[in-house]
DNA sequence: ATAATAATAGTCAAACATAGTCAAAGCGTG
DNA sequence: CACGCTTTGACTATGTTTGACTATTATTAT
């Protein structure tokens, strides 16, 4: 769990201050300077790690006094959120992206750790290794959506 | 007991550091350099010697700051029974038979009701509806075996 | 007011840094 | 001496970093 690259470090930093308050406002260039990277790296971190499906809202403003605001939002409507994830999953999904969805389900308490691991084991690369890669992603999407749909049912 | 080949040596090395901590993170290229072999040799060693059945979980990431993480997990006592179920599952299994296997897992307390339902949702007919019926059963078998193998890990 | 300038943030693609796959060739053992 | 395990490397896939260029907003000068 060590930090292996700048993106991970910045992600951790931002999430740590997000624990203090549910909404933070940063200056892109300041963070970039603080972590000795180019400003656009911040955009990369945000785009890859602070997505809507993970429950983050991001707003920003350019020009003098510009900022980037990241907000951790609570889910208002469970069913709606699950539908969003289904939509995000789409007809086809890579293992990496599917992992992100399961992680989101875990973080939002739709799955516990054990359940998440079980689900992940059903569609990892080896399991779905077909001759055709496209089919692999299609089957994975079907499995994932079926699971999410199942989660809509109260046990 | 001699080390006749590099794969065995690398295996021993990795297992020796796994004795220190239950989870290790390596850089493929570093290990390859250390043992003077091509990087893909590491993949070979992992695929042949660090399998789930043997109680190892492997994750990896590519790109800058990439890594391979190997985790040693305890196996449940009655893994024998699980092996029987894997054997029963075989290369291909119908939905009906797979249902029986999941039911057996439930009755023997390897899965609770909710988990069992989640698993069942991953390989029902609709999800795995391919043009080809044979493939459907083959994929179902792979999924099921992957789940059973995961259940060997005492989480 | 309006135009120019400064101060931000966003986009995108190229360069770089890893790891994975696969099949052919090599080799050791029964 | 055949069979199966090991070794190798070319090719592929994926994730990160960088920087040139663009877009937007605020401030200042006219």
């Amino acid at each position: 769990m060590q930090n292996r690259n700048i993106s991970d470090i910045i992600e951790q930093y931002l999430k740590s201050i997000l624990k203090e308050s549910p909404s933070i406002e940063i200056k892109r260039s300041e963070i970039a300077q603080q972590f000795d990277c180019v400003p656009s790296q911040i955009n990369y971190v945000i785009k890859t790690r602070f997505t809507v499906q993970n429950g983050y809202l991001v707003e920003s403003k350019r020009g003098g006094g510009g900022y980037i605001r990241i907000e951790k939002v609570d889910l208002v409507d469970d069913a709606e959120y699950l539908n969003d994830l289904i939509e995000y999953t789409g007809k086809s999904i890579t293992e990496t992206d599917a992992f992100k969805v399961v992680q989101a389900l875990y973080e939002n308490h739709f799955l516990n750790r054990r359940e998440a691991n079980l689900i992940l084991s059903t569609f990892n690369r080896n399991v779905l290794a077909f001759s055709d890669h496209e089919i692999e992603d299609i089957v994975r999407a079907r499995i994932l959506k079926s699971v999410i749909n199942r989660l809509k049912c109260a046990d």
Side-chain angles (χ1 to χ4, degrees), chain A:
Chain A
M1 278 293 176
Q2 266 31 285
N3 299 310
R4 343 165 204 279
N5 55 47
I6 301 185
S7 290
D8 287 344
I9 296 173
I10 296 173
E11 175 194 4
Q12 253 185 256
Y13 170 71
L14 294 176
K15 286 188 172 166
S16 78
I17 46 179
L18 267 167
K19 280 206 178 118
E20 304 306 308
S21 76
S23 168
I24 62 174
E25 219 170 273
I26 59 173
K27 277 205 175 305
R28 190 178 75 149
S29 54
E30 275 179 13
I31 302 291
Q33 206 169 1
Q34 191 174 332
F35 290 97
D36 194 31
C37 64
V38 297
S40 58
Q41 179 108 39
I42 312 304
N43 298 89
Y44 176 73
V45 172
I46 286 172
K47 199 162 63 179
T48 55
R49 292 148 160 88
F50 292 86
T51 62
V52 181
Q53 42 144 154
N54 280 308
Y56 295 98
L57 285 185
V58 180
E59 292 167 81
S60 66
K61 202 171 93 174
R62 310 187 194 190
Y67 60 84
I68 298 177
R69 174 165 45 229
I70 307 176
E71 196 179 346
K72 174 73 180 163
V73 292
D74 291 330
L75 304 179
V76 243
D77 184 339
D78 284 358
E80 197 181 328
Y81 177 70
L82 293 176
N83 280 329
D84 287 348
L85 288 184
I86 286 174
E87 199 179 330
Y88 174 82
T89 299
K91 286 207 175 325
S92 168
I93 192 169
T94 63
E95 188 178 15
T96 306
D97 284 344
F99 179 86
K100 285 182 191 162
V101 171
V102 171
Q103 193 169 36
L105 288 169
Y106 168 68
E107 279 168 8
N108 288 298
H109 310 294
F110 287 99
L111 293 173
N112 62 33
R113 181 171 227 92
R114 179 179 150 94
E115 288 161 353
N117 281 140
L118 279 173
I119 299 305
L120 287 175
S121 78
T122 68
F123 56 57
N124 76 39
R125 268 257 162 79
N126 295 327
V127 171
L128 298 186
F130 293 96
S131 45
D132 190 343
H133 249 219
E134 265 185 77
I135 295 190
E136 173 186 324
D137 291 349
I138 290 173
V139 174
R140 181 178 295 110
R142 290 209 215 153
I143 294 175
L144 184 53
K145 286 186 288 188
S146 181
V147 166
I148 299 174
N149 270 132
R150 172 75 218 172
L151 291 175
K152 288 182 187 169
C153 311
D155 283 326

